[in-house]
Amino acid sequence: MLSTDPIEKHFRLKPFQVAALKKLGILTLRDLLYHFPARYEEPGIQKQISETAAGDRVTLYGTIRNWKTGKTFHGRMPVAKAILDDGTKTMRLTWFNQPYLAKMVAENALVRVVGKVGTKDAFSMANPEIEVVDHVPLDHGVTLFAGENNEHHMPVYPESRGISSRWILYAVHKLLSHGMALQFVDPIPSRILKKYNLPTIGTALVWIHAPKQNKDSIAARKRFAFEEIFLIQLGKQRDRAHIDQLSSFRISKKEEETKAFMQRFPFKPTKAQQSSIDAILEDFSTTHAMSRLLEGDVGSGKTFVAAVTAHAVTTMHPQEKDFGNLQTAYMVPTEILAKQQFESFISYFGHLPIAIGLLTSHGCKKFPSKISATEATDISKAQLLAWVKNGEIPILVGTHALIQKNVKFKNLAYVIVDEQHRFGTAQRAALARKNDTAVHLLSMTATPIPRTLALTMYGDLDLTLLDEMPHGRKPIITKIVTSDTRTYAYEAIRRELVLGRQAYIICPRIDEPDPTKEMALIAKSVTEEAARLKKEVFPEYEIGILHSKMKPAEREDTMQKFCKNELHILVATSVIEVGVNVPNATVIMIEGAERFGLAQLHQLRGRVIRSNHQTYCYVLSESKGVISKGRLKALVTAKNGFELAEHDLRLRGAGELYGKRQWGITDVGMEALKNLKMVEAARTEAIAFIKNDPTGKNHQKLWQAAKERTANLHFE
Ligand code: ADP
Ligand code: MG
């Protein structure tokens, strides 16, 4: 019996059961052993049937007879029924949806049954756990000692139609009794296990599936959580060590020039902006390539940090030359944003002899043009690429068109990826690898994520937070509205519109497994809602729509109109990130708020916090639940997105943070994300490890495990 054996080799399974197991991700015996319980049922008190009362949770022993299978009275649900007899009385047992039980437990078998006695009928039980045993424990029925032998915690596993928790328990016990837990080589060095008081892999596998006491399963889960984070960290730290080895362009600090550049802006940098710039310039002044993540709420001024640091790079000559410029590439996820940032960079760099290019799949531009020193002009892609290649264009702004093979730079030294969560890891890496020499990389994101998650997913990057908003911003006023007070929100929106301002209305998320269908449904709801608002609520205003079914040109057109205030209200989906600066938009209404994570809601309302006017957010929740109300209240008081992300993590767990997105971290691994100490310990150990054995040649197994663990990790 090998852990790599396919599961069918050792268990007699029907095709639908094989399919159900596959759905649970279980193909091999190892997979089965790594299918951990979702929870443990408290043991019931051991009783004799005659002693039971309605509603009791009990453990009973007896013989089983009169198996019957059939269908439920109303519907088509299969049921299995049997009688349990312990000599004092009989109990009627019924199972729904588990007809195979009748085949697994023979007539007259001696069994243990754990479950809740019916509340109406004290001699019946529905869906109890059942297990064949070879003897009745000695103390059974002797109330004096009851409880002593009662430390039995029944694991409950994630199930799938056709494979019940009960079947998994039985199968896992079979593997454990064959000593399979001992087949695994522990990837965690024993020194580390001892240091953190973690059980070995063999012990942990037994404890997680068959805990004798509560603390066994807790210790086992802790161990697996540590293991997962440790392996991920190891993979990330290895990547980091690799980057650190590469030499990069050294960019000397020119404090006076940088200061002069900053002074041209109509505002003073925030403390957070200044310290981010300092950290980046410090990185530049060494010979190593920088790898940094800049996290800051929408409107925290990330572009300023990008521009000032790009200035430091592009005003440098290439090594050993006294002419020419080092180059900067600035990648953004959408065409609209590319144009906007191109314009911004022109206003920042226009006074300097630094040309700026714009590259998108729909056209190219260059600033300045041949005829005007103050204007940009359309040029052919071939011409733009030629100038980028010979170094005449030091700053190139663009969409993922920048990654294409035919885009070649002469002296690319700095890559900035804006809204980096919109790109895949491979896309980011492709841009960073444009050169023989490693480039400095600045990734920017407005996705607020808790510290533990950032340290794990971005363990290979240095982290900088922009946790401060520019001075003069009035904090957004957020109000929770229910359907009864919806008109109140509409009136509030109208007050803004009357002042000449604009509004966003976000339609609810629609959960639909098929993404094409989902997009169609959302498009429909956006269109209908816009029509309804025009007819019933805002007939006097122009209303536009934005959803992902629209063609890029249509979307662009709508955005342009909204920018020019030709549209007063924009009804949009949450899927579309507008990401464009429309300071005149001062109010946003979010429908179906309970379907979003707090961090997501915060990002949505971020669309209106770019203005110096007072801004408003109306959060619509139909839910009457106290928890979801309390959760939404945090939105009213929180200072920034990080705070909300931490809040969501504590309240709902990491799995719920950004909807139901999967990142390739298991549920047990997710548990670790609630524990900063554990994440930090795993990180410290991984860093120490890489220091001692940078190539992993003394720890091949561990290396392999880390590689496998990080291979399908993704967070975008
Ligand atoms: P984001 O972090 O979302 O990319 P932006 O860089 O687009 O934010 O900045 C939002 C707005 O705030 C811009 O109009 C920008 O000019 C302005 N801004 C940036 N930094 C400051 C500051 N320190 N003081 C005042 N306004 C600022
Ligand atoms: Mg931005």
Side-chain angles (χ1 to χ4, degrees):
M1 213 185 217
L2 287 174
S3 63
T4 47
D5 287 347
I7 192 136
E8 301 97 295
K9 196 168 161 190
H10 300 283
F11 294 94
R12 234 180 292 149
L13 292 164
K14 301 236 167 64
F16 76 91
Q17 288 177 306
V18 175
L21 283 165
K22 199 171 162 194
K23 216 167 169 190
L24 293 168
I26 301 171
L27 303 172
T28 64
L29 299 184
R30 181 194 182 280
D31 296 339
L32 182 61
L33 222 44
Y34 271 82
H35 186 70
F36 296 153
R39 61 194 168 85
Y40 302 86
E41 296 238 290
E42 286 299 310
I45 301 170
Q46 276 186 27
K47 281 197 173 170
Q48 308 197 29
I49 297 178
S50 59
E51 306 169 326
T52 60
D56 271 0
R57 198 176 156 72
V58 291
T59 300
L60 306 170
Y61 287 86
T63 51
I64 203 101
R65 55 182 162 79
N66 285 16
W67 274 113
K68 280 201 189 93
T69 53
K71 299 269 155 113
T72 42
F73 184 66
H74 293 294
R76 286 161 225 111
M77 198 191 284
V79 277
K81 294 183 177 190
I83 300 287
L84 180 73
D85 187 345
D86 74 348
T88 66
K89 245 187 161 80
T90 60
M91 177 76 79
R92 274 173 290 113
L93 311 177
T94 309
W95 290 269
F96 298 95
N97 257 334
Q98 303 177 53
Y100 48 86
L101 275 183
K103 294 207 182 95
M104 276 172 60
V105 182
E107 281 280 318
N108 296 316
L110 185 60
V111 295
R112 176 177 52 194
V113 165
V114 182
K116 201 173 149 199
V117 179
T119 39
K120 290 201 189 104
D121 177 354
F123 292 101
S124 75
M125 277 171 128
N127 290 326
E129 304 286 340
I130 177 167
E131 187 176 17
V132 177
V133 292
D134 49 16
H135 66 280
V136 176
L138 280 180
D139 59 351
H140 181 62
V142 184
T143 3
L144 191 59
F145 297 112
E148 241 175 46
N149 195 25
N150 244 344
E151 288 267 346
H152 182 90
H153 296 264
M154 184 78 85
V156 181
Y157 294 90
E159 324 178 291
S160 176
R161 236 191 137 97
I163 288 294
S164 66
S165 171
R166 173 113 292 274
W167 186 89
I168 294 167
L169 183 65
Y170 143 81
V172 163
H173 275 243
K174 183 169 161 188
L175 299 187
L176 291 179
S177 64
H178 278 79
M180 179 150 292
L182 304 174
Q183 276 188 23
F184 294 92
V185 180
D186 205 323
I188 308 183
S190 56
R191 179 186 59 79
I192 296 181
L193 291 179
K194 281 210 190 83
K195 182 167 169 188
Y196 297 100
N197 202 12
L198 299 168
T200 60
I201 192 162
T203 306
L205 280 169
V206 172
W207 280 2
I208 204 159
H209 292 294
K212 286 224 166 60
Q213 328 165 47
N214 244 339
K215 69 179 202 313
D216 293 349
S217 60
I218 293 170
R221 294 187 93 84
K222 200 168 128 195
R223 184 233 131 86
F224 287 115
F226 181 90
E227 174 180 325
E228 183 157 343
I229 304 299
F230 177 63
L231 292 181
I232 292 174
Q233 289 287 353
L234 214 50
K236 294 284 177 187
Q237 293 311 323
R238 193 193 44 192
D239 292 350
R240 180 65 204 219
H242 177 72
I243 294 169
D244 282 346
Q245 278 173 5
L246 305 173
S247 63
S248 185
F249 300 90
R250 184 168 180 162
I251 289 142
S252 45
K253 287 188 205 168
K254 290 160 291 183
E255 276 158 25
E256 285 312 308
E257 278 178 53
T258 301
K259 218 164 147 191
F261 182 76
M262 298 202 320
Q263 268 164 0
R264 295 181 59 91
F265 284 78
F267 49 75
K268 265 210 166 87
T270 62
K271 270 206 211 89
Q273 281 172 321
Q274 186 62 58
S275 58
S276 308
I277 290 168
D278 291 346
I280 294 168
L281 295 182
E282 189 59 43
D283 280 353
F284 283 173
S285 68
T286 72
T287 49
H288 298 305
M290 173 179 83
S291 266
R292 195 171 277 279
L293 178 70
L294 182 66
E295 259 195 286
D297 272 358
V298 175
S300 59
K302 294 185 288 295
T303 318
F304 177 75
V305 175
V308 173
T309 51
H311 171 266
V313 171
T314 38
T315 50
M316 279 287 288
H317 300 308
Q319 222 166 8
E320 288 156 23
K321 298 246 170 70
D322 48 12
F323 57 90
N325 312 75
L326 291 181
Q327 290 171 296
T328 298
Y330 189 114
M331 182 161 74
V332 297
T334 66
E335 187 112 11
I336 305 173
L337 213 51
K339 279 194 187 137
Q340 189 175 311
Q341 297 302 55
F342 176 64
E343 298 293 336
S344 305
F345 269 67
I346 290 173
S347 69
Y348 308 151
F349 287 86
H351 64 291
L352 297 166
I354 292 177
I356 305 170
L358 172 70
L359 173 67
T360 75
S361 47
H362 288 90
C364 301
K365 281 180 192 287
K366 174 180 176 281
F367 173 90
S369 79
K370 261 199 191 119
I371 26 180
S372 163
T374 56
E375 269 170 73
T377 179
D378 289 321
I379 58 170
S380 74
K381 185 171 174 189
Q383 183 62 74
L384 179 73
L385 292 185
W387 280 332
V388 171
K389 192 172 171 189
N390 73 15
E392 272 181 55
I393 294 187
I395 299 180
L396 183 62
V397 178
T399 56
H400 44 259
L402 291 185
I403 302 168
Q404 290 160 357
K405 274 220 179 68
N406 58 358
V407 183
K408 296 210 165 65
F409 293 83
K410 186 164 170 89
N411 292 303
L412 181 63
Y414 189 21
V415 163
I416 302 169
V417 182
D418 201 354
E419 313 279 353
Q420 67 103 30
H421 58 283
R422 300 279 305 272
F423 296 99
T425 319
Q427 286 176 308
R428 294 195 291 268
L431 189 55
R433 267 199 307 268
K434 281 269 171 192
N435 261 9
D436 299 333
T437 315
V439 300
H440 298 294
L441 172 72
L442 181 68
S443 255
M444 307 200 292
T445 184
T447 309
I449 61 175
R451 189 168 162 70
T452 48
L453 188 58
L455 284 177
T456 304
M457 301 306 284
Y458 301 123
D460 53 336
L461 304 178
D462 291 320
L463 211 60
T464 307
L465 296 188
L466 274 187
D467 51 3
E468 186 185 357
M469 279 297 185
H471 316 287
R473 290 281 160 78
K474 295 190 186 74
I476 188 164
I477 296 176
T478 299
K479 294 223 160 101
I480 301 163
V481 184
T482 60
S483 44
D484 311 335
T485 47
R486 181 188 295 266
T487 33
Y488 165 80
Y490 288 146
E491 286 322 304
I493 291 174
R494 191 184 311 280
R495 276 199 296 280
E496 289 298 300
L497 294 175
V498 167
L499 291 174
R501 314 248 197 273
Q502 291 159 276
Y504 296 100
I505 294 180
I506 307 299
C507 289
R509 244 175 56 182
I510 295 177
D511 286 317
E512 158 65 52
D514 177 355
T516 338
K517 246 194 209 160
E518 183 176 1
M519 272 190 359
L521 283 175
I522 293 176
K524 186 163 167 259
S525 90
V526 167
T527 313
E528 285 174 0
E529 179 65 4
R532 186 187 74 80
L533 288 168
K534 177 79 189 168
K535 191 160 165 245
E536 297 172 14
V537 192
F538 299 111
E540 69 274 39
Y541 290 106
E542 291 305 318
I543 301 180
I545 56 170
L546 210 59
H547 58 71
S548 40
K549 276 273 196 174
M550 286 161 71
K551 296 200 182 74
E554 284 176 315
R555 263 191 247 168
E556 178 107 346
D557 185 50
T558 305
M559 261 339 286
Q560 291 298 350
K561 282 191 181 136
F562 192 64
C563 284
K564 289 192 218 136
N565 201 0
E566 290 167 17
L567 292 171
H568 309 113
I569 301 172
L570 195 58
V571 182
T573 73
S574 62
V575 184
I576 292 232
E577 275 176 69
V578 178
V580 177
N581 211 344
V582 183
N584 193 47
T586 52
V587 56
I588 185 166
M589 175 167 173
I590 305 167
E591 298 268 0
E594 63 277 357
R595 300 191 182 194
F596 296 101
L598 287 179
Q600 273 178 310
L601 289 170
H602 177 71
Q603 266 182 299
L604 284 172
R605 78 177 165 180
R607 286 175 194 179
V608 295
I609 53 185
R610 291 166 177 267
S611 144
N612 274 338
H613 303 298
Q614 178 61 57
T615 56
Y616 304 88
C617 171
Y618 295 93
V619 180
L620 236 118
S621 166
E622 303 294 345
S623 162
K624 306 264 186 300
V626 179
I627 292 180
S628 78
K629 277 266 168 57
R631 201 168 68 81
L632 291 177
K633 276 206 182 112
L635 209 56
V636 179
T637 50
K639 282 196 273 312
N640 55 47
F642 306 108
E643 214 174 275
L644 286 169
E646 299 286 350
H647 202 85
D648 250 5
L649 177 66
R650 277 196 307 276
L651 233 66
R652 307 207 299 171
E656 291 285 326
L657 268 180
Y658 301 96
K660 292 254 182 257
R661 250 183 277 173
Q662 290 293 315
W663 303 319
I665 299 186
T666 67
D667 292 349
V668 165
M670 285 289 186
E671 285 172 26
L673 297 180
K674 283 193 176 181
N675 187 339
L676 182 61
K677 275 220 180 85
M678 183 189 282
V679 171
E680 280 175 344
R683 186 176 160 88
T684 309
E685 294 303 335
I687 291 172
F689 209 90
I690 298 283
K691 230 186 195 152
N692 290 332
D693 186 9
T695 55
K697 69 173 184 297
N698 304 328
H699 302 88
Q700 309 256 0
K701 270 243 150 62
L702 182 58
W703 224 241
Q704 189 54 31
K707 218 166 149 185
E708 279 165 20
R709 197 61 209 74
T710 43
N712 42 19
L713 208 60
H714 52 93
F715 185 77
E716 17 248 12

